[in-house]
Amino acid sequence: MDNTFYSSGMTLSHSFRTGQLQRLKTALLSYEEEFYRALNADLGKSRFESWETEIGPVLQEISYAQRHLKSWMKPKRVATSMLHYPSSGRIFPEPYGTVLILSPWNYPVQLTLAPLVSAIAAGNCAVLSLPTASANTSKVLERLVADAFSEEYVRTFSGDIETNTRLLKEPFDYIFFTGSPRVGKIVMEAAAKNLTPVTLELGGKSPCIVDQTADIPLAARRIVWGKCLNSGQTCVAPDYILAEQSIKERLYTALKEEYGKLYGECPIQNPDYPKIINEQHFERLVSLLEGQKILSGGEYDRGLRKMELTILDAQDVGAPVMEEEIFGPILPVIPYKTLDEVKQFVNSRPKPLGLYLFTRSKKTERMIMREIPFGGGCINDTIIHLVNHNLPFGGVGNSGMGRYHGKYGFDTFTHYKGVLKRGNWLDVPVRYPPYGEKVELLKKMMK
């Protein structure tokens, strides 16, 4: 790993960083049509969904960083203790150096370029490991980066296992990984050998809780939308539903009806409905349906690699579909009677990346927010918390560590250097030996 470009100090100025962000924005817009074709080839994404979930969020991230970068970069004055009088304290934001960004295949544009925006804004150089499963999109990303940046500043590699293993042995200054908890452990273990700090954006089984006070048709529409986005291949997709017993049947019906309204009588033939990334993942999803009680859906087409949204009556919470992250259009529904059951069920499992609550009850809202840990989420909607720049996005426990988006992304790729400056005109002798009985005076001063 060559740090020559970073060591030159080129990346430190505001003008350089904003200029590079503008280059990225210009390049992204110039490759827009190519991304539409590539995302459709890899994941069956429509133009609308490609803009909504890939290109648009990155452009928003760039614009937000450009507007706020000057204030983010300014050293901040902080108060100091009387013990250090006369003195002043400042916090200086500085880049880590050269960072490694390992991105996944499910949102290959957004989850590669959004972290890159934060890394550039913070003044770092970057190495991007591009996903091989979404090969068409990775090829476009490779050309975009080569056109926009010098190789010494930002460069790309193919993210196959051999290359990633080699990259993880390098002493990067920071590693940002998005992917599964299983691979996240490998990344963290490799980073530990060089004492490299990491952000891990992982996943997990994100619950969706629907109580009897919820607007059932609206809840169903928003759940179906969140689950079918990218055909369920979303780290924060609703993984399963916990439905209050009294509204379970109404919710089943509403989910089926809303799915039909959104994608028609034959969703598999609908061009707005994405496909599964490859045969391996498709067959894994098919296997999850074995032995399950299917309430609606269940049809699939191996040739198109598409599967209908399949609603399950989850009789066995120990079945594979309830043990692993689904990452596809399968939605188990589990009834509950009390909120204590909900709390016990969710908290008995690894902490989820997302949680979605549909309710009109302030009491229920307070209880769930206070007593169930999770990365982030929504009340009366799904997914959309990701695109609010003022909210941090990240996991907790098994669903990840660290956060980004907006200022939180700048913070992730920034070391905050605390500096205290002492005046020379007064030097109180309390701290110097001989100490004698000065401890009582020190106690008073520290109060």
Side-chain angles (χ1 to χ4, degrees):
M1 187 180 71
D2 187 357
N3 277 324
T4 304
F5 188 86
Y6 178 74
S7 299
S8 71
M10 282 279 292
T11 70
L12 299 180
S13 71
H14 175 265
S15 61
F16 178 85
R17 300 185 200 186
T18 53
Q20 299 307 306
L21 290 171
Q22 186 59 45
R23 290 178 69 87
L24 179 57
K25 181 187 288 187
T26 301
L28 182 54
L29 288 170
S30 70
Y31 278 91
E32 182 180 341
E33 292 298 327
E34 289 193 46
F35 277 127
Y36 287 144
R37 290 191 291 271
L39 289 165
N40 186 264
D42 288 330
L43 289 151
K45 292 189 181 186
S46 65
R47 290 174 67 91
F48 183 91
E49 189 164 322
S50 294
W51 177 269
E52 175 190 34
T53 66
E54 299 271 15
I55 300 168
V58 177
L59 291 171
Q60 283 187 310
E61 195 76 26
I62 294 170
S63 296
Y64 189 84
Q66 287 175 315
R67 290 197 304 271
H68 294 91
L69 185 56
K70 188 168 287 187
S71 65
W72 295 348
M73 290 177 63
K74 285 181 180 177
K76 306 294 189 297
R77 290 200 63 146
V78 295
T80 58
S81 166
M82 281 298 294
L83 278 172
H84 307 134
Y85 181 83
S87 67
S88 62
R90 287 191 180 181
I91 300 172
F92 293 86
E94 70 176 12
Y96 276 104
T98 300
V99 304
L100 173 63
I101 297 171
L102 301 134
S103 57
W105 52 260
N106 58 328
Y107 291 90
V109 178
Q110 183 195 157
L111 298 182
T112 299
L113 298 184
L116 178 62
V117 171
S118 297
I120 289 172
N124 299 278
C125 295
V127 171
L128 309 179
S129 173
L130 303 178
T132 56
S134 50
N136 295 287
T137 309
S138 288
K139 287 176 183 175
V140 181
L141 283 166
E142 188 177 347
R143 293 201 305 275
L144 179 152
V145 170
D147 283 354
F149 307 114
S150 67
E151 193 176 71
E152 298 82 9
Y153 177 49
V154 181
R155 67 177 301 184
T156 62
F157 287 91
S158 173
D160 56 82
I161 293 175
E162 183 180 345
T163 302
N164 281 343
T165 300
R166 192 168 70 250
L167 286 172
L168 287 169
K169 291 178 180 178
E170 295 292 323
F172 286 96
D173 298 296
Y174 201 95
I175 296 174
F176 188 102
F177 170 77
T178 306
S180 69
R182 179 185 65 82
V183 181
K185 292 175 183 178
I186 296 171
V187 171
M188 193 169 182
E189 183 179 1
K193 293 177 181 178
N194 290 310
L195 295 179
T196 302
V198 299
T199 288
L200 302 177
E201 294 294 343
L202 309 178
K205 297 186 73 64
S206 298
C208 187
I209 304 161
V210 185
D211 77 3
Q212 63 180 350
T213 71
D215 182 327
I216 301 301
L218 182 60
R221 186 181 316 140
R222 291 174 176 176
I223 293 168
V224 167
W225 174 80
K227 185 64 172 180
C228 292
L229 204 67
N230 204 25
S231 204
Q233 298 166 114
T234 306
C235 59
V236 288
D239 192 273
Y240 63 94
I241 295 176
L242 291 165
E244 193 161 2
Q245 182 75 51
S246 60
I247 53 93
K248 183 182 72 168
E249 298 301 328
R250 285 170 54 207
L251 183 61
Y252 285 152
T253 302
L255 289 167
K256 182 178 180 180
E257 289 178 353
E258 293 299 330
Y259 181 57
K261 289 177 184 176
L262 295 181
Y263 294 102
E265 292 184 4
C266 190
I268 286 176
Q269 300 299 326
N270 190 325
D272 287 338
Y273 192 60
K275 64 184 178 183
I276 306 305
I277 184 67
N278 56 34
E279 291 180 9
Q280 178 187 350
H281 286 276
F282 186 88
E283 294 302 328
R284 181 186 64 83
L285 291 169
V286 171
S287 71
L288 291 178
L289 298 178
E290 293 176 7
Q292 295 300 306
K293 183 179 179 180
I294 297 175
L295 297 171
S296 66
E299 297 295 319
Y300 52 83
D301 186 313
R302 280 189 167 87
L304 296 174
R305 294 205 310 272
K306 288 190 175 186
M307 174 183 285
E308 287 184 348
L309 174 63
T310 303
I311 311 297
L312 304 180
D313 187 354
Q315 304 283 338
D316 179 10
V317 296
V321 76
M322 284 305 300
E323 288 296 319
E324 61 183 75
E325 184 178 6
I326 294 170
F327 225 65
I330 300 171
L331 189 55
V333 182
I334 304 165
Y336 75 87
K337 292 180 181 178
T338 68
L339 284 178
D340 282 339
E341 289 179 39
V342 171
K343 184 178 80 169
Q344 183 177 0
F345 187 85
V346 178
N347 287 347
S348 67
R349 292 162 173 261
K351 296 172 184 176
L353 181 57
L355 182 143
Y356 307 109
L357 172 64
F358 288 85
T359 185
R360 289 189 177 102
S361 166
K362 294 289 186 183
K363 181 180 178 182
T364 298
E365 183 181 318
R366 285 194 299 270
M367 183 268 200
I368 296 297
M369 294 302 111
R370 184 177 64 244
E371 300 186 28
I372 298 181
F374 57 95
C378 302
I379 298 169
N380 296 321
D381 211 334
T382 61
I383 307 290
I384 61 169
H385 61 294
L386 268 71
V387 291
N388 186 324
H389 299 297
N390 296 307
L391 293 175
F393 176 71
V396 59
N398 199 67
S399 60
M401 61 180 68
R403 55 189 184 172
Y404 74 123
H405 291 178
K407 174 64 160 51
Y408 300 99
F410 178 86
D411 292 343
T412 286
F413 288 102
T414 297
H415 167 63
Y416 284 95
K417 184 165 57 181
V419 177
L420 186 139
K421 181 178 180 180
R422 284 296 304 273
N424 291 328
W425 58 273
L426 178 65
D427 192 26
V428 180
V430 173
R431 67 174 177 172
Y432 300 116
Y435 297 123
E437 300 300 318
K438 288 192 286 186
V439 66
E440 295 303 322
L441 177 59
L442 180 62
K443 286 180 180 180
K444 289 180 181 179
M445 292 177 70
M446 291 186 74
K447 286 181 180 180

